[in-house]
Amino acid sequence: AKAQGKNRLVAYADGMAQAARRRAELQQDLALAVPEDQLVVHYQPTVRVADGRTTGFEALVRWNHPARGMVPPAEFIPLAEETGIITEIGRWVLRQSVAQGAAWSAATGTPLRMAVNLSPRQLLDDDVVADVEAALRDSGFPAGQLTLEVTEGVLVRDVDRAVARLEALRALGVRIAIDDFGTGFSGLSYLRNLPADIIKIDRSFVGDLPTGRSASTLISSIVELARTLGLEVIAEGVETEEQRRTLEELRCGSAQGYLFARPEPAHQAGAHLATGGIP
Ligand code: C2E
Ligand code: CA
Ligand code: CA
Ligand code: CA
């Protein structure tokens, strides 16, 4: 038994070492992702809960690693955040997404929204406001149709700087969404002090619908408070028609999720525009 325990320990240590090696390698390889054109943006529609009509898209980056294939953002974004290369990646995603938004708007003649994720390090980067302004100018995409999504986590690090940055971005005319809302520390009352336009309800709550009582209580409280504060609410991770119907009953206006569409490359995502546009 003792020998077995030891073997397990060795195997465990091996696994740890292997994981650490993979992280280190991926982190090193990330430097080439932008210059070697290994990133691609997928787009997931945001829809109106009542009728499923597409109002815009969220841009979600993917990394096609030359040797390892697709590496999910949940794995490489944190690594990019550690080294700081996230600012280069984020700038690339932003430019790509607003250019795509401008092309789709032109093709359909209907204004649509584009949402882009901003990591904490990106938000606190001194160049971010100028970067966003330049990306909008170069693409011709209207500031009012761009949403920047930030998580509550960024507010923990340096709340004054984060709030000042969000205000500067809003002054450009872009909208701010608080991503993964409900998972952070902040709680509902905190919302009052945030320069935000949109709340995105985390999919862990949506996944508990329709039976989860605490989830539906929380969602209706968020919707209620959002109405008072004049914020829009988007529910993430809607996978079933039952969840959609429950959200409609809870008066949640917008949603995203596999029920409507998965994130897809631009040439496929564009098909959802047939029912698109800002209502
Ligand atoms: P997020 O911003 O919360 O994005 C939503 C995630 O939920 C996406 O995962 C999306 O594919 C997934 N999702 C959408 N609908 C459903 C559904 O119905 N069911 C389930 N189970 N999942 C659904 P993805 O694309 O793997 O991205 C993971 C996270 O990586 C994102 O979470 C975001 O935090 C980060 N990320 C992705 N792209 C970027 C980027 O360009 N910049 C930054 N800074 N972060 C990014
Ligand atoms: Ca997001
Ligand atoms: Ca989210
Ligand atoms: Ca998330």
Side-chain angles (χ1 to χ4, degrees):
K2 208 169 169 188
Q4 229 175 36
K6 191 176 170 195
N7 280 341
R8 257 205 306 270
L9 206 62
V10 169
Y12 177 73
D14 272 0
M16 295 280 282
Q18 223 167 45
R21 208 154 43 232
R22 177 177 162 96
R23 282 170 52 89
E25 276 173 26
L26 287 178
Q27 210 155 34
Q28 199 170 14
D29 295 349
L30 266 174
L32 289 177
V34 170
E36 307 261 290
D37 232 4
Q38 294 164 0
L39 298 179
V40 39
V41 181
H42 284 195
Y43 299 92
Q44 183 178 40
T46 304
V47 309
R48 217 151 57 177
V49 170
D51 57 9
R53 190 181 169 91
T54 298
T55 51
F57 294 88
E58 177 176 3
L60 294 157
V61 69
R62 274 86 183 91
W63 181 19
N64 193 1
H65 187 283
R68 298 179 187 272
M70 282 295 176
V71 183
E75 184 172 9
F76 75 84
I77 294 288
L79 300 178
E81 182 79 2
E82 272 173 30
T83 61
I85 201 146
I86 187 66
T87 52
E88 185 188 351
I89 292 175
R91 202 177 294 131
W92 182 87
V93 172
L94 176 71
R95 290 192 157 266
Q96 196 76 14
S97 311
V98 292
Q100 186 61 63
W104 276 333
S105 283
T108 60
T110 323
L112 61 88
R113 289 181 177 151
M114 184 61 73
V116 178
N117 293 284
L118 273 196
S119 77
R121 192 142 171 181
Q122 255 182 297
L123 179 71
L124 297 177
D125 184 86
D126 286 333
D127 295 328
V128 71
V129 180
D131 285 346
V132 170
E133 199 172 14
L136 290 170
R137 191 183 51 232
D138 294 348
S139 64
F141 194 67
Q145 288 165 229
L146 176 65
T147 300
L148 297 172
E149 302 193 355
V150 298
T151 53
E152 295 167 277
V154 73
L155 300 160
V156 188
R157 293 202 194 177
D158 186 343
V159 68
D160 294 338
R161 206 143 74 106
V163 166
R165 226 11 99 62
L166 293 177
E167 275 163 358
L169 288 167
R170 263 176 128 198
L172 297 177
V174 309
R175 308 197 318 154
I176 302 297
I178 306 299
D179 207 349
D180 303 346
F181 190 79
T183 57
F185 66 100
S186 55
L188 294 184
S189 58
Y190 205 79
L191 258 187
R192 275 175 229 287
N193 307 315
L194 285 184
D197 305 277
I198 299 167
I199 302 165
K200 297 191 76 173
I201 300 177
D202 192 68
R203 73 161 183 266
S204 56
F205 303 108
V206 176
D208 284 342
L209 298 176
T211 48
R213 292 230 350 249
S214 61
S216 49
T217 304
L218 182 85
I219 291 173
S220 67
S221 313
I222 294 174
V223 169
E224 189 51 42
L225 182 64
R227 206 200 327 269
T228 313
L229 299 176
L231 305 175
E232 189 183 321
V233 179
I234 302 177
E236 300 189 306
V238 180
E239 294 184 347
T240 68
E241 169 55 24
E242 270 192 312
Q243 290 167 353
R244 190 204 64 77
R245 202 176 328 110
T246 308
L247 287 166
E248 195 176 6
E249 283 161 12
L250 296 173
R251 306 246 183 279
C252 173
S254 302
Q256 261 175 273
Y258 295 168
L259 173 67
F260 311 104
R262 293 189 175 245
E264 293 163 334
H267 66 276
Q268 280 166 280
H272 303 291
L273 286 167
T275 55
I278 298 174

